[in-house]
Amino acid sequence: MKKVRLLFFLITGIFICQACINQSDFDFNKMTKPVYSGEWAVPLVTSHVTISNLLKNQTSTLQIDPQGLVKLVFSANSISSQTADQMMKIPDQNMTIQYFSFSTTNPSVDLSTGKQYSTSFLADIPLTPANATQRIDSIYVKAGTIRIPINTNFNKPATITIQAPNIINKSTRLKLTIPQVNITPATPNSFVNVDVSNCILILKTVNGVPNTIHFDLNLSVQGNSNPTLANYTLNMPVSITNLQFSSMYGNLGQFTSNLSQTFDFSTFKGNLGTGFQFAPGAINLNLSVDNSFGLPVRYTATTFNAHSDVNTPHDVPIYLFGSTTPNTFDIAASTAIGTTKTTTVTSTNPNITDAFNIYPNKIVMVANAQTNPSGPGNLNFVTDKSMMTANMNIMLNFFASIQNFTFQDTLDFDLKDITKLESLAFRINTTNGFPIGVKLQAYFTDNNYNVLDAMFTDPLPDFLKPATASGAPDYKTITPTSYQFPDIIYDQARINKIKYAKKIILKLVLNTPNSGPVKIYDSYYFDTKIAVRAKANLQSN
């Protein structure tokens, strides 16, 4: 019983394939009957390997098209622009100082005790927006404060009533009420703070000056015993702080948002490795931009490269629209508040295949998006959360030639009492449904990966012959091929070589016939049926 367990430790330690025993695969009458010389023959495993097994540990997503063609889809992390409230942030500002005055001599004004004089002024004060290209019609204010100081040389009491007819309450649609400003001889200067949260600022162009806020001032001066000055002056240095919008309308100008990013393209880092040369048109690249700005945008990638740290050339430019054609396209505007418009560019330009045939590990994009690229135009809108988000999908359709593509895996290997076996023989039967030839090598190593023994002698013999495939355009397998490998014998000397083995590195080398491209379908498979014969030392210890 101890030797039977030993045999099965050997079986499970050597082979990577997930297995189940199928008794019809081998002649059990011959293989499991005890041999008086101390030999046993046992059916070992039946392995069914598909493309998903070969492409495990991928960060890309394995997908199947309606015809069964296999493809890997790499989805890059989304890159987003600034939101509109970041991009179009209205700066805190001291607005243009407004100066007013009235004369008491021409015409004569009596401001003696008991007399009163009234006059009015108006002011159109320009708001400084985020940049000079903006011509704003209205701002729906989320938060903000307008500070209105009044500085005078008055030696007589006065009241100033200020109205801003173009600042209205968003809920009631009534004009904003601004507290009255009171001036006394003792306090000739005063101010009022106006909270404009939940208001609408309606801006006008006055005398060619855009983005102005209109104010009406009504002044009433009370006479007293102080001497009347020949000229009374006041100024109004208005300031605005923390002005935040929930939405904004108008010609909102030209802004450039950075959409640059370097993506870690890990598809070729895993077991896909190198050795694939994709056929022209086999790789599709989709670049889409979601736009919730209510204004047109132009996307430009000044640098768009596949980059390899290892292979040369290290950088190959990707052209979406043909060789040397700039990677520029227009992004449609959102048509309503709260909606997003998606613009997608799909490219199968052969240059893309050239770029990915260097097995890049990075995709480098230096890109920007410019609003209103054609200059002032139609009415725009944004909300505070309007933004652009760029998404990129790369689809590698498995239509490729494969030259010396190497796949390897490392297995733990720890057999007990292996030296009690006198010999081992492995018999391997294969059925190959892939149109790819395969060679196999297995290395036994210690814990430090020092090679103790190689199962096969180089140069490696063919292990799996390619299946017969049809021609263009489908390149589908017609007839799988079967092959029985010559028995692999391990005598006592070779068994001694691997008695300290702790790892098996299983190496597969794949090649397409005649270096031509093949298509890989999800129905393809490798079937491997393995039996082992062992001869043990039956003498009792």
Side-chain angles (χ1 to χ4, degrees), residues 376-390:
N378 297 327
L379 179 69
N380 306 146
F381 67 84
V382 294
T383 70
D384 54 338
K385 300 306 178 187
S386 293
M387 64 189 302
M388 291 166 283
T389 301

Side-chain angles (χ1 to χ4, degrees), residues 165-235:
N166 295 335
I167 303 178
I168 62 176
N169 185 282
K170 186 166 59 174
S171 301
T172 66
R173 289 303 198 263
L174 297 176
K175 294 178 185 177
L176 178 69
T177 300
I178 299 175
Q180 180 177 279
V181 178
N182 296 308
I183 300 295
T184 69
T187 56
N189 302 323
S190 188
F191 68 91
V192 61
N193 287 327
V194 183
D195 183 2
V196 292
S197 301
N198 198 42
C199 288
I200 304 171
L201 300 185
I202 300 172
L203 306 182
K204 302 290 186 179
T205 296
V206 178
N207 298 325
V209 179
N211 309 316
T212 62
I213 303 174
H214 183 80
F215 293 94
D216 292 318
L217 285 74
N218 294 305
L219 171 67
S220 179
V221 183
Q222 303 296 321
N224 65 6
S225 59
N226 289 334
T228 299
L229 304 179
N231 194 55
Y232 283 92
T233 63
L234 66 156
N235 64 63

